[in-house]
Amino acid sequence: FWLLGWGASLAPISYALYVIHMPIVLLAYWTHPLVPTPLNIVWVIPLTLILAWLLERKLQPWINRAIPIGRKRPPSIAR
């Protein structure tokens, strides 16, 4: 059952992982086509995890505050 705990820790960044993983994998292939895949994994997985965390935990909250789509206006601004 340890796998469930590991998966649960990735749940908050799962969408960002889904979105960002393929561009990073392609970058690895395009920049290092002759490097064996196991060697590319050494930097692809950590980079993917870090970028996904930054996107979900740092950038997304900022975007949510900057663009209040679907939220009611405060009463003082409502027309």
Side-chain angles (χ1 to χ4, degrees):
F1 292 102
W2 63 269
L3 190 58
L4 294 176
W6 180 77
S9 65
L10 292 177
I13 63 170
S14 62
Y15 184 71
L17 283 172
Y18 166 72
V19 170
I20 201 71
H21 85 280
M22 200 58 188
I24 295 173
V25 169
L26 291 175
L27 175 71
Y29 178 73
W30 290 335
T31 57
H32 302 94
L34 302 178
V35 176
T37 301
L39 291 178
N40 273 332
I41 288 174
V42 169
W43 68 271
V44 166
I45 290 176
L47 180 63
T48 303
L49 290 171
I50 290 168
L51 284 177
W53 182 84
L54 286 171
L55 286 172
E56 281 294 332
R57 295 300 188 182
K58 299 297 179 184
L59 185 62
Q60 189 64 41
W62 180 82
I63 290 171
N64 290 343
R65 286 189 304 273
I67 306 171
I69 295 174
R71 296 187 209 145
K72 295 181 181 178
R73 290 182 172 183
S76 60
I77 300 175
R79 295 179 186 179

